[in-house]
Amino acid sequence: MFLSEPMCYDWGESSVGAVSVVEGEVGWLSCPLFSHPSVYNYTSTQSAGHNLFWYRLPEGHDLEQPITYSKDRERLFLQPAIADDTGQYICMLRNKSSCSKIAIRLKVLQPDDVVKCGLPVAVAPIEDLIPLQEGKTLDCPDLQDATKMSESTPKVQWYFAAHLVSFHDREQKGNSLQVHLMMEQYQGLYYCRVQYQRRNQTLNFTRSINVTAILPLSLPKEPSIMNPTNDQIFTVKTGTEVRLVCRGQLPFVLDKPSREIWWTVDGKTLDKLPDRFKQINRCEQSHHFRDLTIESILVIQDFQSQDMKREFYCSVKNERGFDTRRAQLEEEVSLPTVELGCGLGVTLLLMLILFVVYHVFWLELLLLYRSWFGTDERHTDDKEFDVYISYARNSEEEQFVLLTLRRVLENELGYSVCIFDRDSLPGEPKHTSSIHPFIRPSFITPLSLKGWVRELRRARVALALVRWQGTSPESCQSKEVALMRLHSQNSTNSQTGLISNTIKDPQKVLNSAA
C-alpha cells in the first residue's frame, strides 16, 4: 500500500481539530494539506502530476480503507452522514517521486446530543454584528457548496429560536434574510436549513449565525477614562503596598476591535521598570452592545517616599482615539495613636475623679460657689422669704437673732429672712396663722384638736431647731432658735438643706458674727 511507502511524508493529525456533522445531514471533509496555499495548491499540484487519494481508518481498526465517496477537488462529501462514518480520515497527495499525507478526524453526532434550544447544528455558529436602527442582509453559510453539489437550485428556510422568521421588519428574500431595522430583541441565533436534490435524493444541512447588536456607527467611538477623575486623589502610605485603580470605557469599533489599557510611570511602560511595579487587568466587563469597561490596577509594592515625585498615567486606546489621565497622590498623615490614647485615658480619669468629688462633696462645693458667686434669687424663685426665725422674747436671744443671725443669713449667705417683729404688719397676732400666708400649706397648717398628733409631726418636719452654747459665764444656759423652712411651688429642696446644715454648726455662725 502507498501508506507504508517510506517516501511518503506524514504530517500527522491536523491541528484544526475534529469535524462534526449531524447524522442524516450532509457533511464534508476538506483536505488539510490545502489549508496553506503557499505550500500546497490544488491546481498547481494537479499540474505537477499529483493525485489526491482518501483513506479511512474506522474506529477500533488498524487498517486504512480506500474511500469511494463523492469527491470534489480537495473535498470528500458524506451524503448523508451516518453513525458508522465516525473515525479518522487520511488525505494523500502522491506522484511517482513523492507523497505527503495528513489525517483528520470526523465525528457523527446524534441530533438529540446537539439540540439545546434550537435546531441541531454541529458546526460552530458564525458571528455577525448589526448596528442598532440599521439594516443588513444575512446569507446562509456554505450555501455555495450546496450549489455545486445540487442538481437544482437549493432552497433555504430561516429560523429564529427554532421558529420560522415571519416578521415585517425581518423577512426572507430569496435564500437570504433581510433585517430592515435592527433592534435589541432581535439578537440571538438564526438558523438556515438548506435543501437540495442529488441523484433523486433530498439532502439537507443546517447552519447558524449568532447575531449581536452594536451601537450605531454614527455615535462617538472614542475611548475615555472614567476613573480616576480629574479631582480624585489617591491616599498612599510609605512602606506599604499601594494600588491605583483605573477604569476605562472602550467603545466597540466595527471590523477593528483592538482595544488597550495600560499604565506608565514617568513615561515608561511597566516592562522597563523594577518588578515592584505590576499591572493587573482584574476586571473586564461587557458593557452594553459590545462596548467594554476595563479595570486596570497598578500595584506598587513597598511604596517609597521618592515615588511621590513620580508621574503615574493611565491610558486607553482603540482605533478611533486615545485618552490618558494622571493619578494624583497624597501621602497619608499618621496619627499619633499612643499620644491620643494617653490623652484620652487621662481625660477619662479626670472626669471620673470629678464625678466622685462632686457626689461626695457636692454640698461643700455648692456652698463655696454661693459664697463666691452667690446672687439674689428673690426675684426669680417666686418666694417672698427663704427663712422664718422663731425665737424667745428675751434680750439675749432677740439680740442674737436681730444682730448676729440675721446679718449672717441675709448679708453673707444671701437668704431672705422673715422676722416677725420686723416684717409683720402692725396689729397681727403672734401665732401660727400670722405666718400662714408665707408658708406652703403642705408643711405648716393650722392645728386642730382632732389631728394634733399628726399636725405636730408635720410641724416637726417643717421646723429646724438650732442649739448653741453661749461663750460667757452669764450665757452658759442652752439657747434654741427654730428656723422654719418656707417654700413655694417652684422652690427647691437644696436651699432648705443648705440653711439647715449651715446653722447646725453654731461655731461657724459665731465665727462669722465675730
Side-chain angles (χ1 to χ4, degrees):
M1 291 184 62
F2 295 111
L3 290 174
S4 60
E5 293 181 1
M7 295 296 296
C8 194
Y9 182 78
D10 190 355
W11 289 87
E13 189 169 313
S14 173
S15 59
V16 177
V19 175
S20 300
V21 60
V22 177
E23 184 179 23
E25 290 194 349
V26 174
W28 56 84
L29 297 171
S30 297
C31 182
L33 290 175
F34 299 102
S35 59
H36 301 284
S38 59
V39 180
Y40 295 101
N41 180 276
Y42 185 80
T43 303
S44 61
T45 55
Q46 290 294 312
S47 61
H50 287 83
N51 294 315
L52 180 62
F53 300 91
W54 285 91
Y55 297 88
R56 175 173 175 254
L57 184 62
E59 292 286 332
H61 292 74
D62 298 328
L63 184 64
E64 299 92 349
Q65 301 174 0
I67 295 178
T68 58
Y69 295 162
S70 174
K71 292 177 287 186
D72 177 45
R73 295 172 63 88
E74 72 274 15
R75 295 184 178 181
L76 175 68
F77 289 93
L78 298 90
Q79 305 185 74
I82 59 177
D84 291 341
D85 291 335
T86 298
Q88 189 181 63
Y89 290 76
I90 301 169
C91 64
M92 176 187 297
L93 277 176
R94 177 174 61 86
N95 61 11
K96 295 181 179 180
S97 58
S98 65
C99 119
S100 297
K101 64 178 181 179
I102 190 171
I104 187 172
R105 189 166 296 276
L106 174 69
K107 292 182 179 180
V108 179
L109 306 176
Q110 297 298 316
D112 294 340
D113 298 334
V114 178
V115 176
K116 293 183 179 179
C117 58
L119 302 182
V121 180
V123 181
I126 295 176
E127 299 290 331
D128 207 340
L129 305 173
I130 304 179
L132 291 169
Q133 305 299 320
E134 298 183 20
K136 191 172 184 179
T137 300
L138 302 179
D139 295 321
C140 187
D142 300 328
L143 180 60
Q144 297 300 323
D145 296 303
T147 303
K148 296 178 181 178
M149 297 180 292
S150 176
E151 296 174 352
S152 61
T153 302
K155 295 181 179 180
V156 179
Q157 283 186 320
W158 286 89
Y159 300 83
F160 178 66
H163 300 287
L164 284 171
V165 178
S166 58
F167 301 98
H168 68 281
D169 47 3
R170 292 174 295 171
E171 62 176 341
Q172 183 171 338
K173 289 187 175 181
N175 287 334
S176 300
L177 178 66
Q178 182 68 45
V179 180
H180 297 292
L181 189 66
M182 183 62 188
M183 304 184 71
E184 184 177 357
Q185 59 267 31
Y186 295 162
Q187 297 182 106
L189 282 174
Y190 289 79
Y191 302 91
C192 58
R193 174 165 288 174
V194 180
Q195 290 185 344
Y196 63 93
Q197 298 291 326
R198 181 180 174 85
R199 297 177 183 177
N200 298 324
Q201 185 180 11
T202 301
L203 303 173
N204 66 81
F205 63 86
T206 307
R207 296 292 183 265
S208 61
I209 301 176
N210 187 20
V211 175
T212 303
I214 61 174
L215 292 176
L217 301 180
S218 58
L219 294 179
K221 299 295 182 179
E222 291 77 12
S224 61
I225 293 179
M226 305 167 60
N227 184 65
T229 58
N230 289 325
D231 55 352
Q232 182 176 352
I233 297 177
F234 292 94
T235 302
V236 298
K237 186 177 181 180
T238 57
T240 63
E241 180 182 274
V242 173
R243 290 176 171 250
L244 307 179
V245 180
C246 176
R247 296 180 72 246
Q249 185 174 3
L250 295 101
F252 178 80
V253 179
L254 190 63
D255 299 330
K256 296 180 180 180
S258 176
R259 289 173 279 193
E260 300 177 67
I261 182 170
W262 71 96
W263 282 91
T264 59
V265 181
D266 293 335
K268 300 179 182 178
T269 55
L270 301 188
D271 57 346
K272 300 178 182 179
L273 295 172
D275 293 337
R276 66 188 186 93
F277 295 92
K278 296 181 180 180
Q279 176 177 329
I280 302 175
N281 290 344
R282 186 180 64 181
C283 183
E284 185 170 321
Q285 305 173 356
S286 291
H287 211 42
H288 67 302
F289 307 118
R290 287 288 180 100
D291 286 4
L292 288 182
T293 299
I294 305 178
E295 185 176 85
S296 181
I297 303 175
L298 175 61
V299 181
I300 309 172
Q301 298 177 351
D302 188 20
F303 191 86
Q304 302 172 6
S305 57
Q306 56 266 31
D307 293 332
M308 290 292 300
K309 302 178 182 179
R310 296 180 182 270
E311 293 183 347
F312 300 92
Y313 278 90
C314 177
S315 304
V316 290
K317 179 183 178 182
N318 67 359
E319 295 296 331
R320 292 291 182 87
F322 167 83
D323 191 20
T324 185
R325 188 164 297 164
R326 181 180 180 181
Q328 303 181 55
L329 308 183
E330 181 180 74
E331 188 171 3
E332 180 181 349
V333 179
S334 300
L335 294 176
T337 55
V338 176
E339 291 80 354
L340 287 177
C342 293
L344 181 60
V346 171
T347 303
L348 293 177
L349 180 60
L350 290 176
M351 291 178 64
L352 179 61
I353 294 174
L354 292 176
F355 179 79
V356 173
V357 169
Y358 172 77
H359 278 269
V360 175
F361 304 102
W362 67 273
L363 181 58
E364 286 77 1
L365 293 175
L366 190 55
L367 290 173
L368 180 63
Y369 173 81
R370 288 182 62 87
S371 65
W372 286 355
F373 307 103
T375 59
D376 188 1
E377 300 175 353
R378 288 176 296 179
H379 303 292
T380 60
D381 59 6
D382 205 19
K383 295 183 300 183
E384 186 174 353
F385 298 102
D386 296 319
V387 179
Y388 177 82
I389 302 177
S390 176
Y391 56 93
R393 299 303 300 263
N394 56 59
S395 60
E396 184 178 352
E397 288 191 7
E398 187 173 6
Q399 183 179 9
F400 171 76
V401 170
L402 295 178
L403 298 179
T404 303
L405 186 57
R406 181 196 60 80
R407 180 176 59 81
V408 172
L409 293 176
E410 289 185 339
N411 298 338
E412 297 185 17
L413 298 181
Y415 291 107
S416 178
V417 180
C418 178
I419 301 175
F420 181 79
D421 290 333
R422 185 189 65 175
D423 300 315
S424 63
L425 294 176
E428 286 187 338
K430 298 181 180 180
H431 51 76
T432 306
S433 61
S434 64
I435 62 172
H436 180 73
F438 307 108
I439 304 175
R440 182 176 177 180
S442 62
F443 287 91
I444 298 299
T445 58
L447 297 179
S448 63
L449 293 177
K450 184 177 180 180
W452 66 272
V453 176
R454 178 173 56 84
E455 298 296 343
L456 287 177
R457 287 178 178 174
R458 296 183 63 179
R460 181 174 176 270
V461 174
L463 297 175
L465 188 62
V466 180
R467 294 185 176 91
W468 70 90
Q469 200 75 20
T471 56
S472 62
E474 293 79 13
S475 58
C476 61
Q477 185 179 0
S478 176
K479 306 297 181 180
E480 295 183 356
V481 176
L483 303 183
M484 185 172 292
R485 291 170 286 184
L486 308 182
H487 290 267
S488 69
Q489 292 184 354
N490 296 327
S491 64
T492 62
N493 293 332
S494 61
Q495 291 183 341
T496 303
L498 291 176
I499 298 173
S500 301
N501 286 281
T502 302
I503 305 305
K504 284 179 181 178
D505 189 352
Q507 190 63 37
K508 183 184 294 186
V509 177
L510 294 176
N511 293 338
S512 299

